Amino acid sequence: MRRANGGRINHFARERSPARRYTAGRSHTRTGNGMAMTTVAVLGLGLMGSGMARRLLAAGFDVAVWNRSAAKTAPFADTPARVAGSPAEAAAGAAIVIAMLADDDVSRSVWAGEGGALAAMAPGAIAIESSTLTGEWIAELAAAAAARGVDLLEAPVTGSRDQAATGALRFLVGGEAAVLERARPALAAMGSTIVHLGPVGSGAVVKLANNFLCGVQVACLAEAVALFERRGLDAEQAVSILTEGAPGSPLVKAVSRRMLDRAYDPHFLPLLMAKDLGYAAQTMAAAGIETAIAPAARRRFIEAAAAGEGEKDMAAIVEPLRP
């Protein structure tokens, strides 16, 4: 990563210190050798946001973090990250503000609600919305950002908890190319691939299509595994026919293993997939496509959450179908 004057940002390890309360500052702080270090705020420390924040810290960025429930900031007590009491506190003085949140309503509250991040951002700062959201809300957010002189990128990701932790996310970017270039060093610290899809709104369409296909596969797989078990087959053997044949996508291979092992340490939660399938159906309807598949798959994730599987991995949607 380079500064505008061509010098390199110092990425050597810094002395670790306890997390500290955030106070508004400049968009750059100084390292021990006097070199500039970009300040990045991360809003939302769930399965994805926490891994992303740690990757930014490892890359040498000055990081402020915020989460609605304070308990999720506790793991950052042994890092140099600064804990903010509100999105606005996190965003004040940050050159880049990245959000990884649950849905449109939460995103609207965090960016534009009371104590929201957008009002605290300086003109020329970059807002990056990495949540899986509707194109309609992304368009509203872009307009609100522009009114404040803030540059917006939407950058939803493919990958889940493990990819966030290892910096292997794929960013699906919508926005201006020049803004992306300014944000690229931060995105590169968190991901292995950055794809510029076009103007704002492009990322939302591709991400919802991606999660639509993923959700449908997982729902179909749950029904197939339950069928094998209800008919008394050797499920391990029967599933291997699927994973080694044409249906054997990387997702089917990974999730079928979790289903067979009943290994439900969360990578992606059922209700988040239900939300994404609902948004996908809404997006398709706006394009004149009436999907019968998304609502059917969505029902399986909702049923699993209602059956007590909501805090487990989405692979757990097989449980209510098992004999």
Side-chain angles (χ1 to χ4, degrees):
M1 184 169 64
R2 293 183 180 273
R3 295 168 57 193
N5 64 5
R8 290 187 180 276
I9 292 178
N10 179 24
H11 282 177
F12 291 110
R14 291 177 287 156
E15 180 181 354
R16 299 176 78 81
S17 59
R20 52 204 184 278
R21 199 69 177 168
Y22 184 75
T23 55
R26 298 176 182 271
S27 62
H28 293 83
T29 58
R30 294 282 169 181
T31 62
N33 63 9
M35 297 186 75
M37 179 169 56
T38 301
T39 299
V40 181
V42 178
L43 310 177
L45 298 174
L47 293 175
M48 303 294 289
S50 58
M52 294 163 70
R54 289 186 179 276
R55 294 303 305 178
L56 289 165
L57 285 166
F61 289 92
D62 181 52
V63 178
V65 297
W66 171 86
N67 193 74
R68 187 181 303 272
S69 59
K72 290 187 177 179
T73 67
F76 288 85
D78 65 345
T79 77
R82 292 173 287 166
V83 177
S86 70
E89 287 184 15
I96 298 173
V97 181
I98 301 170
M100 180 58 84
L101 306 163
D103 56 30
D104 280 11
D105 290 341
V106 176
S107 176
R108 183 178 287 105
S109 174
V110 168
W111 286 108
E114 184 177 355
L118 203 55
M121 295 177 68
I126 301 173
I128 302 178
E129 180 48 274
S130 287
S131 317
T132 303
L133 306 172
T134 65
E136 289 78 7
W137 164 238
I138 287 294
E140 288 183 42
L141 179 58
R148 291 198 56 83
V150 171
D151 295 313
L152 177 79
L153 295 175
E154 52 153 356
V157 302
T158 62
S160 61
R161 182 195 66 185
D162 292 347
Q163 288 73 31
T166 59
L169 296 172
R170 175 181 293 180
F171 285 93
L172 310 178
V173 181
E176 295 182 8
V179 178
L180 171 57
E181 289 311 305
R182 289 164 49 209
R184 187 177 293 274
L187 295 177
M190 300 178 287
S192 58
T193 306
I194 301 167
V195 183
H196 187 205
L197 294 166
V200 167
S202 306
V205 171
V206 176
K207 177 60 191 295
L208 289 172
N210 179 87
N211 283 23
F212 164 65
L213 291 177
C214 289
V216 167
Q217 287 183 78
V218 173
C220 292
L221 177 62
E223 294 179 355
V225 169
L227 173 65
F228 297 154
E229 293 179 347
R230 285 175 178 266
R231 294 302 296 265
L233 297 178
D234 180 334
E236 190 81 39
Q237 180 188 55
V239 168
S240 73
I241 302 300
L242 306 182
T243 58
E244 294 170 15
S249 69
L251 180 70
V252 166
K253 290 176 181 177
V255 175
S256 64
R257 187 72 266 154
R258 296 176 212 162
M259 289 180 177
L260 291 172
D261 293 344
R262 288 179 164 87
Y264 301 138
D265 186 34
H267 294 253
F268 199 92
L269 299 176
L271 284 180
L272 288 180
M273 183 56 80
K275 177 266 297 184
D276 291 351
L277 287 165
Y279 284 176
Q282 177 181 330
T283 302
M284 290 183 194
I289 302 168
E290 184 178 355
T291 172
I293 303 169
R298 181 173 182 267
R299 190 178 77 244
R300 290 298 185 204
F301 292 94
I302 293 173
E303 290 170 348
E309 310 296 335
E311 297 303 314
K312 300 177 183 178
D313 185 73
M314 63 180 177
I317 69 166
V318 71
E319 291 300 323
L321 302 174
R322 282 186 145 133

